[in-house]
Amino acid sequence: MIRLDGKETSNTIKEEIKVQVTEMKAKGERVPHLAAVLVGTDGASLTYVGSKVRSCEYVGFESSLIQMEETISEEELLTQIDALNKDERIDGYIVQLPLPKHINEEKILLAIDPKKDVDGFHPANFGRMALDLEAFTPATPYGIMQLLERYKVPTSGKHCVVVGRSHIVGRPISILMSQRGPAGDATVTVAHSRTKNLAELTKQADIVVMALGIPEFLKADMVKEGAAIIDVGITRVADKTHPKGYVIKGDVAFDEVAEKASYITPVPGGVGPMTIAMLLKNTLLARQWNQD
Ligand code: L34
């Protein structure tokens, strides 16, 4: 069993980006600038956005964190987005999800200039990605593709079962893995809450991508011997014995599934850190694609 180490791989990618930033600086070029909009004070969102900003500093990017009150109106957020679209110093930005319930997420994502949409959530980017055109690829699926590619996990002609159909993970990874190219050429099945006999499907899979959000849902008796397991789940489960008051659980019962797996991503330290690294990669691409 080989652990797909997202922490280590994300560090490698950050080093690669850092080298490119140093070269940009040496040529007198402006370095990439990422902005992150965070609405409210959700603990997990604060952690993820904080990590994104710190990683920018590490690789030599400029970064801006825009924190807004939980109670702001949709109008106020749209005004902020308009300002970011117009701000020539900002190469790319993200609006951290989830947003408060009174704000229409779809409307917000549509307002982001596709050229600055380093999350790749705008329909223009998502559509371009699905049509094999140059586009920003959403960071989490992009990170999974990088892990598969860098660890040379066989995917061509393999049966991949994706569990979950979210716009951020399940849907895009199912498209990417069925496309031609590295980490692609797989035969993909998308399973979701209405799927019947899920275990029958996952047991046939050479690769399982779990993006459901239910802690330790995938058990050893649901997977084939030698399968590759990608765990995208990241749930904070209350645990008073821990200093933070919670532990982070993936969608996979790691210990028992690891015994049967050929490859497996841990949680934490798997897909999560890769998401951050690929956001940086997209910001570098934004800088390169939108040269002034
Ligand atoms: N707009 N919203 C937007 N873009 C995104 O790409 C995200 N996502 C998801 C939530 N909302 C978003 C993230 O950034 C999930 N996500 C994310 C990012 C980083 C990590 C997990 C999820 C991560 O670094 N995870 C660490 C543990 C961090 C902890 O201590 O909680 C890990 O090792 O898995």
Side-chain angles (χ1 to χ4, degrees), residues 136-155:
F136 294 116
T137 305
T140 303
Y142 194 4
I144 295 169
M145 296 299 281
Q146 284 292 313
L147 273 180
L148 294 170
E149 189 179 337
R150 289 178 187 241
Y151 278 90
K152 300 188 168 63
V153 178
T155 58

Side-chain angles (χ1 to χ4, degrees), residues 7 44 47-48 51-52 94-98 119 121 139-140 168 234 236 244 246 248 267-273 275-276:
K7 189 82 203 148
T47 304
Y48 305 154
S51 179
K52 290 173 183 182
I94 63 156
V95 178
Q96 187 70 17
L97 303 179
D119 260 332
F121 293 167
T140 303
I168 301 188
I234 179 151
R236 292 183 169 194
K244 287 184 175 171
Y246 64 86
I248 295 168
V267 176
V271 174
T275 298
I276 310 242

Side-chain angles (χ1 to χ4, degrees), residues 185-215:
D185 294 306
T187 304
V188 180
T189 301
V190 182
H192 45 73
S193 50
R194 296 295 173 96
T195 297
K196 296 201 170 76
N197 304 324
L198 178 63
E200 295 306 311
L201 277 174
T202 54
K203 259 189 276 189
Q204 290 173 40
D206 302 305
I207 305 161
V208 182
V209 178
M210 288 300 297
L212 201 59
I214 303 176

